């Protein structure tokens, strides 16, 4: 990038900007209840992310790169350091041991699929919707 481009704002988009997913930040227990209710009409996906884990960041990038924007689901992003209470509630409500990163798919009020770590990048969400 030349000086002219940097002065006048021309720049290439980063991978993060190119694949900006429609995340809904999961920040309250009320939202978790609403998510379960919404799952009766459309699948709901939770990505549990650790801000301090390199694997979590790498997996998130890989998931974002592979995500197809026409996938019919809602994507929830849960940062475990900020909302450990919600992470604990997810574990309790769906009977799945906490891991991070972790991907959970909720449909008809029930957990229908979950995986963690590098296996997240291999998931084709459309197989579960």
């Amino acid at each position: 990038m030349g000086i002219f481009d940097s002065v006048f704002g021309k720049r290439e988009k980063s991978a993060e900007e190119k694949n900006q997913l429609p995340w809904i930040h999961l920040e309250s227990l009320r939202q978790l209840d609403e998510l379960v209710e919404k799952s009766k009409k459309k699948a709901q996906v939770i990505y549990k992310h650790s801000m301090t884990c390199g694997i979590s960041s790498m997996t998130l990038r890989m998931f974002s790169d592979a995500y197809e924007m026409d996938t019919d689901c809602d994507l929830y992003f849960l940062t475990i350091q900020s909302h450990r209470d919600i992470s604990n509630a997810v574990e309790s409500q769906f009977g799945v041991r906490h891991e991070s990163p972790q991907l959970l798919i909720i449909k008809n009020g029930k957990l229908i699929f979950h995986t963690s770590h590098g296996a997240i990048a291999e998931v084709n969400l459309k197989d579960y919707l």
Side-chain angles (χ1 to χ4, degrees):
M1 178 180 338
I3 187 96
F4 184 81
D5 290 339
S6 65
V7 170
F8 292 98
K10 182 180 177 184
R11 63 183 175 91
E12 291 192 33
K13 290 185 178 181
S14 68
E16 189 174 295
E17 290 172 314
K18 289 178 186 174
N19 295 313
Q20 187 62 35
L21 299 188
W23 292 113
I24 301 166
H25 290 275
L26 185 53
E27 298 175 328
S28 74
L29 293 171
R30 184 178 60 91
Q31 272 184 294
L32 182 59
D33 292 337
E34 292 169 358
L35 174 155
V36 171
E37 193 59 36
K38 286 170 58 176
S39 78
K40 295 174 183 174
K41 293 185 171 97
K42 178 163 76 168
Q44 307 294 300
V45 175
I46 301 172
Y47 183 88
K48 291 170 73 175
H49 177 67
S50 171
M51 296 183 305
T52 59
C53 175
I55 292 172
S56 189
S57 294
M58 178 183 68
T59 302
L60 178 59
R61 278 191 304 276
M62 291 169 32
F63 177 80
S64 296
D65 288 345
Y67 183 79
E68 296 178 34
M69 294 305 269
D70 65 342
T71 303
D72 189 27
C73 66
D74 291 328
L75 295 175
Y76 285 85
F77 192 87
L78 175 58
T79 305
I80 60 169
Q81 285 87 353
S82 302
H83 302 289
R84 187 62 195 196
D85 60 330
I86 301 169
S87 180
N88 291 342
V90 167
E91 181 178 17
S92 175
Q93 184 162 354
F94 298 111
V96 63
R97 187 177 70 122
H98 164 76
E99 295 186 69
S100 69
Q102 188 172 38
L103 184 80
L104 303 100
I105 302 173
I106 315 301
K107 195 170 181 182
N108 296 318
K110 299 186 184 327
L111 176 71
I112 63 163
F113 177 80
H114 70 95
T115 193
S116 66
H117 296 85
I120 292 171
E122 305 293 320
V123 174
N124 181 352
L125 290 178
K126 291 182 179 183
D127 290 345
Y128 300 95
L129 307 181

